[in-house]
Amino acid sequence: AQKITQTQPGMFVQEKEAVTLDCTYDTSDPSYGLFWYKQPSSGEMIFLIYQGSYDQQNATEGRYSLNFQKARKSANLVISASQLGDSAMYFCAMRGSTSYGKLTFGQGTILTVHP
Amino acid sequence: DVKVTQSSRYLVKRTGEKVFLECVQDMDHENMFWYRQDPGLGLRLIYFSYDVKMKEKGDIPEGYSVSREKKERFSLILESASTNQTSMYLCASSQWGIVGNTIYFGEGSWLTVV
């Protein structure tokens, strides 16, 4: 079984500041991937960043980076230089090598960026 | 561009009605999924399919069924809608294979059962 935990229901950040959204996971799969998605109020799910369990380096995509600590089973999303358009719901998700491609999601964190 | 299209964006149905939510993808993906999203609970998997006519229960299949007669289409069926099925439903698809394959989502269907 796989489990994703996001312990921050809501986060606030000032525009242009950096923010970290927490994600911890649990799985028995030997190989897995971790994903972060952004969901604006319109409802669409926007893929942000991916980290494979065997990747040696932390993933980065523009202003997004993933702080992957395998031993601690955490995969925190760091957004640098926050923008007003970053205000949204953020989901952490994982997929194991034995799970038929299913994604397991966390509860989500609502991020609000203040001007 | 990959596209996952959900037939209805907003629906209002009566208790006891049979409800069909349709999803079509245009990338020849083997895997298709139906999720339900509720505040504080994240997305929960209802059913998934890894091939035509193949289906597997997810975490919350009770009250739902699915149909996959063609590779590109995956339908979610509420046999007798109830008010506790009021929710946002998201369809998704991905290629079979490695864990890093991107999963693509539709825009979501907001269902209200009255």
Side-chain angles (χ1 to χ4, degrees):
Chain A
Q2 299 170 54
K3 183 169 178 159
I4 293 279
T5 303
Q6 295 178 253
T7 57
Q8 307 155 312
M11 288 285 285
F12 295 88
V13 66
Q14 208 71 27
E15 196 177 8
K16 300 179 186 173
E17 299 285 313
V19 62
T20 297
L21 305 184
D22 293 341
C23 173
T24 58
Y25 63 90
D26 194 21
T27 181
S28 55
D29 277 326
S31 173
Y32 52 89
L34 294 151
F35 300 76
W36 277 90
Y37 282 85
K38 172 184 178 181
Q39 187 182 46
S41 56
S42 57
E44 60 183 312
M45 294 286 281
I46 302 168
F47 166 72
L48 294 178
I49 195 166
Y50 167 78
Q51 177 84 44
S53 59
Y54 288 106
D55 292 344
Q56 295 297 314
Q57 295 194 326
N58 286 344
T60 60
E61 289 285 349
R63 294 186 299 111
Y64 304 108
S65 60
L66 203 152
N67 183 0
F68 180 48
Q69 298 188 43
K70 194 171 183 178
R72 298 179 66 179
K73 295 190 174 181
S74 73
N76 298 338
L77 177 71
V78 180
I79 305 174
S80 63
S82 298
Q83 301 172 356
L84 296 178
D86 293 336
S87 293
M89 176 75 86
Y90 288 81
F91 288 102
C92 179
M94 79 175 298
R95 173 199 254 159
S97 55
T98 61
S99 63
Y100 289 99
K102 297 179 295 179
L103 271 183
T104 299
F105 284 84
Q107 304 91 321
T109 297
I110 299 176
L111 176 66
T112 304
V113 181
H114 289 303
Chain B
D1 272 357
V2 174
K3 203 158 175 69
V4 179
T5 304
Q6 295 183 227
S7 57
S8 303
R9 193 93 163 102
Y10 301 97
L11 307 95
V12 179
K13 298 292 181 181
R14 295 196 179 278
T15 301
E17 271 193 80
K18 191 168 186 175
V19 180
F20 292 87
L21 298 179
E22 308 284 346
C23 175
V24 177
Q25 49 95 2
D26 65 359
M27 278 302 291
D28 202 36
H29 286 165
E30 294 84 4
N31 294 343
M32 295 189 76
F33 311 88
W34 275 106
Y35 286 89
R36 169 178 170 160
Q37 182 179 351
D38 299 288
L41 298 176
L43 278 73
R44 294 177 293 166
L45 183 65
I46 305 171
Y47 267 97
F48 68 101
S49 168
Y50 50 89
D51 202 351
V52 176
K53 296 192 186 294
M54 304 302 290
K55 59 187 179 185
E56 293 285 340
K57 293 180 180 178
D59 300 317
I60 51 165
E62 297 77 19
Y64 303 94
S65 62
V66 289
S67 171
R68 193 164 180 201
E69 297 296 320
K70 293 184 178 181
K71 192 174 185 180
E72 68 270 17
R73 187 180 296 270
F74 192 35
S75 303
L76 180 69
I77 303 155
L78 287 66
E79 295 289 342
S80 178
S82 64
T83 54
N84 62 13
Q85 293 178 310
T86 291
S87 188
M88 174 116 90
Y89 292 87
L90 281 158
C91 175
S93 74
S94 76
Q95 259 185 326
W96 178 267
I98 60 174
V99 292
N101 283 339
T102 303
I103 291 188
Y104 298 89
F105 284 86
E107 291 186 325
S109 297
W110 297 86
L111 172 66
T112 301
V113 182
V114 297

